Every structure is written in C-alpha cells, then in structure tokens.
Amino acid sequence: MKAKTNGTGSETTSGSPVSSAPLNDNQRTLAWLRRAHDEQLALCNELEEIADSLPSNVDRQKCLYAAKMLGPLVQNIHEYEETVLFPWIESQRGPQLRETIERLKFEHCEDECFAEELTDALLKLGTGDVVNMEAVGYMLRGFFEGMRRHIAFERDCLLTHLPPDAAPEGQH
C-alpha cells in the first residue's frame, strides 16, 4: 500500500487523507493493527463469497488465492500481536488484561490450526478434487465468523481506554 501526496501536504492511502505528521510508536502500533484487521476482514469477505458459491458455482482461482493467503496472514498477524501488541497493551493498561490476553493467545492457536485445515480444503476445491461441499461450507463460515468476532473483541475490549497519544489526531 503506497501513499501518495494529494497536493495539500497530506498523504493519501486508497484515496483517504492521512496526516503527514510523524507517528509515535503507539500510533504506529495501532495503525499496523488497523491495517491487519482490514486485511483479515477482506479475507473473511473472500471466504464468505466462496462459501456462498458452494456447491455449484465455485471460483477455483479464488479458492487457490485464499488458500495461499490464509495461513501466512493469520500466522504473521498473530505473531505481531503476541510479540508487540499484547505486551504494549499490558504496559498501557496494566496487568488486569492478562487473562484476556491469554485467552486471545489460545484463540490464536485454535485459529491457526483451523486455518491449516481450511487451507487444505480450499486447495482441494481450487484443484477440482472431490470434497464434501457441505462440510467445507461449514468450515468456511465457522472460520470467517470466528475471525470477525475475534477482531470485534480486540477493537471493543483491548483498544478502548488507551492513552490519548496512541491514536492519530482526530481518531480518539
């Protein structure tokens, strides 16, 4: 995602103005998380389209693309959250979130295992192998609905009440 100037001294990303003021570490962490959530939600939308296309209208290329993206995206985001974001949130909000963060880490482990199984199913769909369409539909819906809930929880519960300097101006 490359930023471009819009002639006003601000930068744009996908057409939206972005302040050209330098971000502090807290703002960079939250900006990264927003982008990660957007990428995950976009993948969820793709997975939902695949599920809606079952059983007779499967776009094999979309299945192969989703299979290729799913595992690495989930693993990379979880790694960042566990090594950067969660320690940072604990430092900002204190140890009262420790149990919540441990629960999210456990969910990450489950999500990664589920993503591996879903990747296998998507590869089979993409290559035209015979699969149980009903089971794959349930897998897809279970995964993307769980991912959406996980993201909503992170946004609603973890990212509230952070210090004022954590959000870029105008986004408190």
Side-chain angles (χ1 to χ4, degrees):
M1 182 163 49
K2 190 165 182 157
K4 41 191 173 173
T5 60
N6 66 3
T8 64
S10 295
E11 293 181 343
T12 61
T13 305
S14 303
S16 304
V18 177
S19 170
S20 59
L23 300 177
N24 65 38
D25 287 342
N26 294 345
Q27 292 167 333
R28 275 191 291 279
T29 298
L30 288 177
W32 184 94
L33 183 63
R34 284 186 191 95
R35 284 190 309 274
H37 282 166
D38 289 346
E39 288 179 32
Q40 286 176 309
L41 291 171
L43 182 58
C44 287
N45 291 340
E46 293 294 319
L47 295 175
E48 185 170 21
E49 287 179 16
I50 293 169
D52 290 345
S53 75
L54 298 175
S56 59
N57 220 4
V58 177
D59 180 339
R60 290 184 182 180
Q61 280 303 113
K62 186 177 281 194
C63 293
L64 293 173
Y65 176 77
K68 180 180 177 184
M69 298 302 298
L70 183 60
L73 179 69
V74 169
Q75 290 170 352
N76 291 337
I77 289 172
H78 289 170
E79 181 180 344
Y80 183 86
E81 287 181 347
E82 292 178 15
T83 60
V84 176
L85 181 69
F86 292 166
W88 173 73
I89 288 173
E90 269 194 82
S91 76
Q92 299 296 312
R93 302 223 7 228
Q96 72 269 20
L97 287 178
R98 192 164 288 130
E99 282 184 37
T100 300
I101 288 173
E102 289 304 314
R103 183 185 119 209
L104 290 171
K105 287 179 181 179
F106 179 76
E107 286 181 13
H108 286 175
C109 182
E110 288 182 328
D111 289 345
E112 288 175 23
C113 291
F114 199 176
E116 284 180 30
E117 291 178 20
L118 190 52
T119 296
D120 290 341
L122 288 166
L123 287 171
K124 287 178 182 176
L125 269 176
T127 57
D129 287 354
V130 176
V131 297
N132 180 328
M133 294 290 188
E134 190 172 333
V136 173
Y138 279 113
M139 288 175 69
L140 285 161
R141 292 187 191 288
F143 183 83
F144 68 72
E145 288 172 0
M147 183 66 63
R148 287 173 176 159
R149 274 193 302 273
H150 183 91
I151 291 167
F153 181 83
E154 286 182 350
R155 287 178 172 173
D156 293 344
C157 297
L158 286 185
L159 302 180
T160 55
H161 309 297
L162 289 172
D165 73 339
E169 280 187 48
Q171 296 185 17
H172 296 281

